[in-house]
């Protein structure tokens, strides 16, 4: 949950010496290792001294990080074998030493083994999928990686890969058989099981190739070190995250619904990223040199060395194409006639209108119900004229009132939260005035955030729609509406259950003064917990709707209570 900058300034000042310490005169890989060491130590100090409820960073903590990092690298448990894990065991109790300023050794040691095993895994998958499977043979396969161990040896690893590919092929074969049953097209209806089995294997091979190409092409050693940092921060609680600079930019873009790019929609096709369409008025269209179906071969930041993006996912390519305000990006394009062209553009501000609040009217007979969809509690604090969700929702309410609606439904399903300040302002649109949420820090000091405006924009019938993925700010809003008996909350058995407040703490020297981004990214850290005005926490328990409408997500373990490292409920 994002808030305003006051505390950030204090923390940035307190850790300023550590930020400056990142500047090093070492060269090459030594410089990278030294920077990693200082970054990790700085994050460790932050976690231990500033987290709302810090866990002790000791050997027990180290073992948890060791286990989680290796499992995140190999969720299927068929890349590493047990001897690999055994060879890394000496680092099982040294992660805490690394966090406390020791040399960074665990990730480099893991990287050497992982790189070798990934290449072997790709070859084994291709070999297994080159031959038909015999589904008449009765075999047991456990799809949950948490319930299986790493293979004892090479032969067992190969068998685990075979069973995994067989299971994935069977899933796709069943889908293809169902499509055959429903089809009215003879060419599809007449396909034999043998043909469908081959098609299913080809689909799995394509998916695996895409997965491992991304793993080998777009994920570098730095990415896995960043993953390591995230495993460490996530051991404190699920919402304390490390953002490297490019991910921090993506986080800011989500919060503000604006970014700096070229104004082109992209799609992935056969391992290439292609231009799908251009948005009029933006750099790509203005250049006059880019057209739909152009293939993007490389992306360069100004005059820097271009990055070959063959095999990239669209999301990974987008991170390279977007950037800071007024900076140059160069695309190496393959045109439809086969010619190669390099096009340079200056990034421009792109506004994502689909991320803002919007409304509609649902009419049945003489009744008119206003419907407002809010995807996030967004706020652009960097731009005085930037969008705020409370102001946008207010405008939608005014439109609906002008249409004389009989009631309003506010849809917060899948709304994962956002700005704490904005949710307070938004509740104020519907109540007279009063407290909205209580916030408590690690010292036990509580403060109350209130709506002090006695005016009410809308006092008519109100319903709030929620589901399992309505979290954080969405839960504050729903709880306040419920506690004030201002409206009816409708949805699944409970909301997500995130009752914690996060703020971002930057690391390193600034690289973009307009956005506040820094060279080593930032940590989104849990500083506080919030409580509804009746004193109860939404942490773990969420908000229980007045009218419960269960849905299919009930069967998924996706709520806060399903994560073993979540902070406990209290009141």
């Amino acid at each position: 949950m994002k808030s305003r900058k006051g505390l950030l300034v204090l923390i940035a000042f307190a850790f300023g010496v550590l930020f400056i310490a990142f500047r090093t005169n070492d060269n090459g890989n030594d410089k990278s290792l030294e920077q990693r060491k200082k970054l990790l130590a700085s994050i460790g100090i932050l976690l231990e001294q500033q987290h709302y409820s810090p866990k002790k960073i000791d050997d027990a903590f180290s073992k948890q990080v060791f286990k989680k990092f290796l499992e995140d690298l190999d969720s299927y448990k068929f890349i590493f074998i047990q001897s690999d894990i055994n060879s890394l065991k000496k680092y099982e109790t040294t992660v805490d030493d690394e966090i406390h300023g020791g040399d960074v050794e665990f990730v480099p040691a893991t990287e050497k083994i992982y790189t070798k095993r990934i290449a072997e895994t790709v070859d084994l998958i291709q070999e297994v999928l080159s031959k038909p499977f015999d589904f008449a043979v009765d075999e047991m396969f456990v799809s949950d990686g948490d319930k299986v161990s790493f293979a004892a040896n090479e032969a067992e690893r190969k068998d685990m890969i075979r069973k995994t590919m067989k299971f994935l092929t069977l899933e796709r074969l069943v889908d293809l058989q169902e499509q055959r049953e429903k089809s009215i097209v003879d060419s599809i209806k007449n396909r034999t099981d043998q043909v469908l089995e081959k098609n299913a294997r080809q689909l799995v091979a394509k998916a695996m190739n895409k997965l491992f190409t991304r793993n080998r092409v777009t994920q570098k050693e730095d990415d896995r070190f960043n993953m390591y940092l995230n495993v460490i921060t996530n051991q404190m609680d699920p919402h304390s995250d490390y953002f490297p600079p490019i991910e921090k930019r993506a986080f800011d873009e989500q919060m503000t619904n604006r970014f700096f790019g070229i104004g082109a929609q992209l799609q992935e096709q056969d391992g290439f990223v292609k231009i799908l369409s251009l948005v009029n008025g933006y750099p790509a269209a203005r250049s006059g040199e880019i057209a739909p179906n152009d293939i993007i071969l490389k992306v360069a930041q100004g005059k820097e060395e271009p990055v070959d993006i063959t095999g990239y996912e669209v999301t990974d390519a987008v991170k390279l194409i977007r950037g800071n305000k007024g900076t140059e990006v160069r695309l190496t394009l393959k045109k439809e006639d086969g010619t190669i062209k390099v096009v340079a553009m200056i990034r421009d501000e792109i506004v994502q209108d689909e991320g803002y609040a919007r409304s509609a009217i649902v009419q049945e007979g003489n009744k008119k119900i206003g419907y407002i969809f809010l995807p996030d509690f967004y706020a652009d604090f960097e731009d005085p004229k930037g969008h705020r969700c409370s102001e946008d929702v207010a405008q939608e309410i005014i439109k609906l009132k002008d249409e004389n609606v009989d009631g309003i439904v506010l849809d917060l399903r899948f709304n994962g939260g956002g700005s704490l300040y904005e949710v307070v302002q938004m509740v104020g649109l519907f109540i007279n005035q009063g407290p909205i949420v209580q916030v408590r820090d690690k010292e036990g000091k509580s403060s109350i955030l209130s709506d002090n405006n006695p005016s009410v924009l809308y006092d008519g019938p109100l319903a709030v729609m929620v589901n399992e993925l309505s979290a954080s700010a969405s839960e504050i809003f729903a709880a306040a509406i419920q506690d004030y008996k201002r409206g009816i909350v409708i949805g699944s058995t409970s909301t997500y259950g995130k009752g914690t407040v996060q703020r971002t703490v930057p690391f390193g020297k600034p690289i973009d003064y307009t956005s506040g981004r820094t060279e080593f990214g930032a940590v989104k850290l849990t500083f506080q917990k919030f409580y509804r005005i009746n004193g109860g926490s939404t942490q773990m328990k969420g908000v229980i709707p007045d009218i419960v409408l269960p849905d299919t997500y009930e069967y998924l373990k996706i709520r806060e209570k399903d994560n073993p490292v979540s902070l406990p409920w209290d009141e």
Side-chain angles (χ1 to χ4, degrees):
M1 178 173 295
K2 190 174 179 181
S3 186
R4 304 195 81 124
K5 299 179 182 175
L7 188 58
L8 280 185
V9 174
L10 295 176
I11 293 173
F13 177 79
F15 287 90
V17 175
L18 293 172
F19 296 164
I20 295 171
F22 285 141
R23 299 174 188 178
T24 172
N25 294 320
D26 295 340
N27 293 313
N29 194 50
D30 290 340
K31 178 179 179 180
S32 176
L33 286 174
E34 188 65 20
Q35 288 175 342
R36 288 181 180 181
K37 178 179 176 179
K38 291 174 180 177
L39 175 59
L40 179 55
S42 299
I43 289 174
I45 293 171
L46 179 68
L47 294 175
E48 290 185 306
Q49 296 186 5
Q50 298 295 331
H51 190 273
Y52 177 83
S53 181
K55 294 176 183 176
K56 188 176 181 180
I57 299 179
D58 54 13
D59 284 354
F61 184 91
S62 183
K63 288 180 179 179
Q64 291 173 337
V65 172
F66 178 86
K67 181 174 183 290
K68 185 70 168 62
F69 178 63
L70 293 176
E71 289 179 345
D72 282 358
L73 281 176
D74 185 10
S75 57
Y76 278 116
K77 299 280 181 68
F78 62 37
I79 295 174
F80 295 116
I81 60 175
Q82 190 57 49
S83 61
D84 298 330
I85 307 302
N86 293 341
S87 71
L88 295 168
K89 277 280 187 180
K90 61 183 177 182
Y91 303 108
E92 189 177 30
T93 57
T94 65
V95 171
D96 57 318
D97 300 323
E98 293 187 10
I99 295 172
H100 290 135
D103 290 336
V104 177
E105 297 178 339
F106 175 40
V107 173
T110 304
E111 183 72 18
K112 291 178 183 177
I113 299 172
Y114 184 73
T115 303
K116 174 176 176 287
R117 292 299 187 196
I118 279 288
E120 295 172 354
T121 301
V122 170
D123 291 340
L124 285 170
I125 288 174
Q126 290 176 343
E127 179 186 338
V128 167
L129 290 172
S130 67
K131 306 168 189 174
F133 291 109
D134 183 359
F135 293 111
V137 178
D138 213 4
E139 294 186 284
M140 176 69 71
F141 172 71
V142 180
S143 61
D144 187 348
D146 293 334
K147 296 179 180 178
V148 297
S149 302
F150 290 103
N153 49 52
E154 293 282 3
E156 187 175 311
R157 175 180 175 229
K158 184 174 181 179
D159 193 55
M160 289 175 68
I161 290 175
R162 182 188 63 80
K163 285 183 177 178
T164 305
M165 296 304 109
K166 184 176 181 179
F167 175 75
L168 295 174
T169 300
L170 180 59
E171 284 187 318
R172 282 153 182 79
L173 175 58
V174 171
D175 290 339
L176 292 172
Q177 288 173 331
E178 289 178 352
Q179 292 174 23
R180 181 179 62 184
E181 293 298 318
K182 296 175 182 177
S183 179
I184 59 173
V185 180
D186 288 340
S187 60
I188 297 177
K189 288 174 63 177
N190 295 331
R191 288 176 184 169
T192 65
D193 284 342
Q194 289 78 13
V195 169
L196 295 185
E197 191 273 344
K198 182 179 180 180
N199 292 342
R201 278 188 290 116
Q202 290 171 340
L203 290 171
V204 173
K206 185 175 181 179
M208 289 296 105
N209 182 59
K210 189 174 182 180
L211 172 66
F212 284 100
T213 296
R214 185 186 189 198
N215 187 289
R216 296 169 75 181
V217 173
T218 66
Q219 288 189 359
K220 308 299 183 186
E221 186 176 355
D222 281 346
D223 297 307
R224 285 183 273 278
F225 181 72
N226 294 337
M227 181 192 296
Y228 175 58
L229 295 178
N230 246 309
V231 170
I232 291 169
T233 57
N234 286 165
Q235 285 302 309
M236 291 292 173
D237 78 288
H239 308 291
S240 290
D241 299 301
Y242 170 69
F243 293 128
I246 197 165
E247 299 294 343
K248 175 59 167 61
R249 192 188 73 220
F251 175 74
D252 292 340
E253 289 169 357
Q254 181 184 359
M255 284 297 299
T256 62
N257 282 310
R258 67 183 177 95
F259 61 89
F260 295 95
I262 64 171
Q265 288 187 305
L266 310 179
Q267 67 173 354
E268 187 274 332
Q269 186 175 341
D270 298 326
F272 294 101
V273 176
K274 299 180 69 174
I275 301 289
L276 179 63
S277 62
L278 305 178
V279 183
N280 289 332
Y282 288 121
R286 291 200 303 261
S287 73
E289 299 181 87
I290 299 177
N293 295 319
D294 286 353
I295 294 175
I296 305 176
L297 300 177
K298 299 177 183 179
V299 179
Q301 310 305 318
K303 296 181 180 178
E304 292 181 14
E305 187 71 21
V307 176
D308 187 334
I309 66 167
T310 304
Y312 272 45
E313 294 276 354
V314 168
T315 51
D316 295 317
V318 163
K319 291 174 184 177
L320 293 177
I321 295 172
R322 292 180 184 179
N324 297 328
K325 181 178 181 179
T327 56
E328 184 183 67
V329 60
R330 297 188 179 192
L331 303 186
T332 301
L333 303 171
K334 183 177 181 180
K335 310 294 286 184
E336 284 196 283
D337 62 5
T339 58
I340 306 297
K341 176 179 282 191
V342 177
V343 180
M345 290 163 285
I346 300 299
R347 295 179 174 103
D348 199 354
E349 181 179 352
I350 313 291
V351 179
Q352 297 174 297
D353 292 339
E354 67 273 13
Y356 296 138
R358 51 190 186 273
S359 66
I361 294 176
V362 180
Q363 188 158 356
E364 185 172 351
N366 295 324
K367 292 286 185 181
K368 290 199 295 186
I369 303 298
Y371 170 85
I372 299 176
F373 175 69
L374 184 67
D376 295 291
F377 281 83
Y378 53 84
D380 187 353
F381 292 119
E382 304 295 339
D383 182 359
K385 297 181 181 179
H387 280 264
R388 313 278 198 277
C389 69
S390 60
E391 296 174 0
D392 290 350
V393 168
Q395 291 301 314
E396 299 306 319
I397 290 173
I398 291 171
K399 292 179 189 176
L400 295 174
K401 285 175 66 177
D402 289 343
E403 296 292 332
N404 296 314
V405 295
D406 296 291
I408 289 178
V409 174
L410 181 61
D411 191 347
L412 299 182
R413 291 174 300 172
F414 305 101
N415 184 318
S419 167
L420 180 61
Y421 174 81
E422 283 302 300
V423 72
V424 173
Q425 302 306 306
M426 226 178 82
V427 174
L429 302 175
F430 301 96
I431 69 167
N432 189 353
Q433 63 181 39
I436 306 301
V437 62
Q438 302 179 68
V439 181
R440 186 169 69 185
D441 64 20
K442 63 178 298 182
E443 307 300 332
K445 297 177 183 177
S446 296
S447 58
I448 298 175
L449 303 182
S450 301
D451 167 42
N452 299 316
N453 188 340
S455 65
V456 178
L457 181 61
Y458 177 73
D459 60 4
L462 174 68
V464 180
M465 297 176 69
V466 295
N467 68 356
E468 296 84 350
L469 294 173
S470 301
S472 197
S474 296
E475 296 175 286
I476 295 175
F477 183 89
I481 294 299
Q482 199 174 58
D483 291 342
Y484 274 100
K485 301 188 186 307
R486 175 59 191 86
I488 300 296
V489 179
I490 303 170
S492 52
T493 53
S494 73
T495 54
Y496 184 83
K498 178 181 178 293
T500 55
V501 183
Q502 288 75 38
R503 294 187 180 93
T504 54
V505 180
F507 287 88
K509 61 186 178 183
I511 56 175
D512 177 23
Y513 287 95
T514 61
S515 68
R517 284 188 283 275
T518 52
E519 61 180 332
F520 296 107
V523 168
K524 179 164 66 75
L525 189 70
T526 296
F527 282 98
Q528 299 167 310
K529 289 178 76 173
F530 63 76
Y531 302 82
R532 51 199 296 174
I533 58 174
N534 66 12
S537 173
T538 60
Q539 178 66 14
M540 302 283 273
K541 293 187 176 182
V543 176
I544 299 174
D546 302 296
I547 299 175
V548 175
L549 297 175
D551 57 32
T552 55
Y553 293 99
E554 289 289 343
Y555 298 97
L556 302 178
K557 299 292 185 181
I558 55 176
R559 292 186 176 97
E560 186 86 357
K561 65 182 180 181
D562 299 314
N563 195 318
V565 297
S566 295
L567 297 183
W569 177 88
D570 63 348
E571 62 181 343

